[in-house]
Structures are given as C-alpha cells and as structure tokens.
Amino acid sequence: ALVLISHDGARWLPTVIEGIRAQTAPLARVAAVDTGSKDASASLVRDAFGAVQQVKGSTSFPEAVGLAVESLREDPPEWIWILHDDANPAPDALEKLLAAAAEHPYADFLGPKLREWPSLRALLELGVTISGTGRRETGLERGEYDQGQHDGSRAVLAVNSAGLLARFSAFDSLGGFDAELPMFGSDIDLGWRAAAAGRRTLVVPEAVVFHAEAAHRGVRRTPLTGRHTHYQERRAAIWTLLVNGDRLWWRSIRLFFGTLLRVIG
C-alpha cells in the first residue's frame, strides 16, 4: 500500500503522480493524507487516487503517516511504501525494492537511492547515519554524480522516509515515526530504534527516487518549519541522539561542545 503525504506540493505532484502510475509493480491501495494545503494538492491527489484525508496544516509528518497507517489497519498490507509529494519514483523503483525484500527476507526496512530533483544526476543519499555531534552523514561528496560507484544493496542504520518500503508489522511494532520529530530526523530515529530492536534496514541502489527536498532547502514553508529550517533540523538531531544513544551524559557533553564550536565558527 502506498502512503502519500502532501502539503502545498502542487508544483511537484503531477509528476509524482505520473511516476506512481508508471510503477511496474502494481499497488494494492493508496492511503493519502494532505496536511492543510492551500494550493491544489488535495484535489490532485483525490483526482488521481479517489480519496485523501484532509487534516490541519499543523499536523506533523509522523502524525500524517500514522493516520494513513490507521486507515490500513483493518486489512493491513504486508508492506507500506512511503512517498513525499516532492519525491518522484523511477518506474521500476517499487519493483526493485520488493525484489530486494524477497532476496533479503530478514530486512524490514528498505530504501532507494535518492537523487536530486530537478538535476536528476546528483546523489543525495544511499542510506544515512548521524555523527556524535548530530551531523547527518551520507558518506557522499556534495554534488557527487551517480555513476554507479555506490551501488550494491547493503545494511545501513537508516534510510530516508522518501521512498521508504517498510514491513507493516515492523513499522507498527515500533510505533511508527516519533511524534517528537515533527518534520526532520524521524528517519534516522526510526532506523536507530529498529536496529536496537533487532530489525534490519537495507539501502537498495537499484531503486531510484528523485527528491526535491523542498522543506530542507527552504523552497516550501510550513507551520512546522517556519523561517528557521536549520534550527528545526538541529533540534531533531539533538533529540535523536539523546533518546537513542547510550552513555547519554558523554553524548550530551560532546553535543554541547559540538554545537558551541559550530556557533563560534
């Protein structure tokens, strides 16, 4: 089942909807949630898939995904595939993710290779982790072009929520995304909790999703990001480290001095 979350995404949604319809692996259902869009997002999704839950603009991403999951609970699918309204999947993205899931039955969370949209060539992420001072780490050079140099499925701490294929039972048992992370960082937190619970996360580079990163780049403002995107991302990193890390006192000290040095720098 596809879980599609939208918020003022009308500039990307027509292409994203085309990408969804072009999937070579059929979707059983679509659970769509729109969080208070002021543009035509809800209408675009409704026209494409027949129904969309419309909720207030202050609804967080974890809450929106949770509403979609609840709508699937009576007849739960084996897998849910989560897409943002600014994440356009290649036609075989879902097919490649499902093939990897069949090949690696121990994996509960699988993510695609993310490439930049609209450039289409630059790599964004192939799995992600977090440093001891809260920096999001991808292992990629800035603006690095995709030449297949990082291909090959492998275990990672976490994958981006844009294009995440999650086993419904595993996602549900972990309580979904953390509501304390309304916009940023929920993917790393989920991966960390999954690893602690003995769950496995894989990145599947054969599956490709093109991501505009609208909120991160400040292209789109929401009630949850406001004018200070960097502040919200930093807050999410601090929360993730403090609630998931062991030896919390030592991590807190490192985090404090890491933040202080960045401010001074």
Side-chain angles (χ1 to χ4, degrees), residues 138-205:
T138 65
L140 300 172
E141 299 292 333
R142 179 172 295 182
E144 183 177 347
Y145 278 178
D146 182 16
Q147 301 176 21
Q149 66 271 38
H150 299 289
D151 285 3
S153 298
R154 58 189 179 276
V156 292
L157 175 67
V159 291
N160 200 293
S161 58
L164 168 65
L165 182 70
R167 194 182 301 276
F168 184 94
S169 59
F171 187 83
D172 196 41
S173 70
L174 292 169
F177 294 118
D178 189 344
E180 293 294 335
L181 298 168
M183 179 59 68
F184 302 110
S186 57
D187 47 9
I188 293 179
D189 172 78
L190 177 68
W192 201 334
R193 287 187 287 119
R199 306 283 187 177
R200 297 291 298 275
T201 300
L202 293 183
V203 63
V204 184

Side-chain angles (χ1 to χ4, degrees), residues 95-105 107 110 153 202-204 206:
E95 180 183 0
K96 296 294 187 182
L97 288 168
L98 290 170
E103 184 179 353
H104 305 283
L110 303 96
S153 298
L202 293 183
V203 63
V204 184
E206 294 79 13

Side-chain angles (χ1 to χ4, degrees), residues 18-99:
E18 286 181 11
I20 293 168
R21 286 173 166 167
Q23 290 303 297
T24 53
L27 288 160
R29 283 175 284 171
V30 177
V33 177
D34 183 85
T35 61
S37 289
K38 297 177 181 178
D39 62 10
S41 292
S43 297
L44 287 167
V45 175
R46 185 182 298 107
D47 291 345
F49 304 117
V52 57
Q53 292 188 65
Q54 292 182 261
V55 294
K56 59 186 180 182
S58 59
T59 304
S60 70
F61 179 74
E63 289 171 337
V65 173
L67 289 170
V69 168
E70 281 301 315
S71 73
L72 299 168
R73 191 173 298 283
E74 278 192 23
D75 182 20
E78 183 179 2
W79 297 96
I80 55 172
W81 189 35
I82 301 172
L83 280 181
H84 304 181
D85 59 4
D86 64 342
N88 182 33
D92 61 352
L94 180 56
E95 180 183 0
K96 296 294 187 182
L97 288 168
L98 290 170

Side-chain angles (χ1 to χ4, degrees), residues 3-15:
V3 170
L4 178 62
I5 309 301
S6 61
H7 178 88
D8 288 344
R11 74 186 78 176
W12 304 284
L13 271 168
T15 304

